[in-house]
């Protein structure tokens, strides 16, 4: 069961990152002006602010699209970087499976097993 996680819902519109740690859920929303350029610094700031211990029990969930090419590539790169550097679990999900970005929907996504481990096949909008 996935307990603590970082979720990257970064597809080019209504971009969010979420952090669930110790049963608390925190969300950071992006506006169009600071999208891809601010993703890495926003993730780092959230991890520092909430004193996240990234270990084997921590997971990253990343939206695999469909979405903007540059937004998906940025979020996939951040997710893979965290996975490689910290040896954590990496999961992906389809945008259509999530619905509204909130903890209830994310937990349903996990419970219904609509996530795939280490299999990232992005779907780009044309």
């Amino acid at each position: 069961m996935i307990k603590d996680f970082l979720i990257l819902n970064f597809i080019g519109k209504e971009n969010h990152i979420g952090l669930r740690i110790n049963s608390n859920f925190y969300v950071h929303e992006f506006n169009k002006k600071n999208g891809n350029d601010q993703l890495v610094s926003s993730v780092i700031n959230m991890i520092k602010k909430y004193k996240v211990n990234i270990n084997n029990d921590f997971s990253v969930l990343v939206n695999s699209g469909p979405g903007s090419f540059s937004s998906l590539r940025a979020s996939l790169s951040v997710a893979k970087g965290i996975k490689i550097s910290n040896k954590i679990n990496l999961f992906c999900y389809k945008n259509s499976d999530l619905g509204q970005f909130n903890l209830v929907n994310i937990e349903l996504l996990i419970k219904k097993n609509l996530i795939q481990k280490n299999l990232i096949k992005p779907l780009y909008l044309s």
Side-chain angles (χ1 to χ4, degrees):
M1 178 71 183
I2 299 172
K3 182 181 171 192
D4 294 334
F5 60 83
L6 172 70
I7 182 166
L8 304 172
N9 191 52
F10 210 77
I11 58 169
K13 60 178 182 175
E14 298 180 22
N15 295 325
H16 302 89
I17 56 176
L19 178 66
R20 181 168 183 233
I21 193 79
N22 300 326
S23 301
N24 296 314
F25 187 63
Y26 309 100
V27 176
H28 177 75
E29 295 181 27
F30 292 85
N31 61 36
K32 283 199 168 251
K33 293 179 183 174
N34 68 352
N36 297 347
D37 297 339
Q38 298 298 316
L39 179 60
V40 173
S41 61
S42 296
V43 169
I44 291 170
N45 290 339
M46 280 185 87
I47 289 171
K48 286 180 181 178
K49 180 178 181 178
Y50 299 110
K51 298 177 176 102
V52 177
N53 182 18
I54 299 178
N55 56 28
N56 293 350
D57 296 329
F58 192 79
S59 300
V60 174
L61 289 79
V62 63
N63 191 330
S64 63
S68 159
F69 178 82
S70 60
S71 296
L72 286 172
R73 296 307 299 165
S75 62
L76 293 171
S77 298
V78 169
K80 290 289 271 186
I82 295 170
K83 178 192 176 5
I84 290 168
S85 63
N86 294 292
K87 298 180 178 134
I88 51 95
N89 295 311
L90 176 60
F91 299 94
C92 68
Y93 64 93
K94 294 179 183 169
N95 189 49
S96 58
D97 292 336
L98 180 61
Q100 188 177 12
F101 188 84
N102 59 40
L103 185 57
V104 172
N105 286 344
I106 295 167
E107 288 177 340
L108 280 174
L109 186 75
I110 295 167
K111 285 180 185 174
K112 290 182 178 180
N113 207 22
L114 295 173
I115 55 177
Q116 298 174 335
K117 186 169 185 171
N118 295 331
L119 180 63
I120 295 180
K121 295 181 181 177
L123 302 170
Y124 304 116
L125 292 176
S126 51

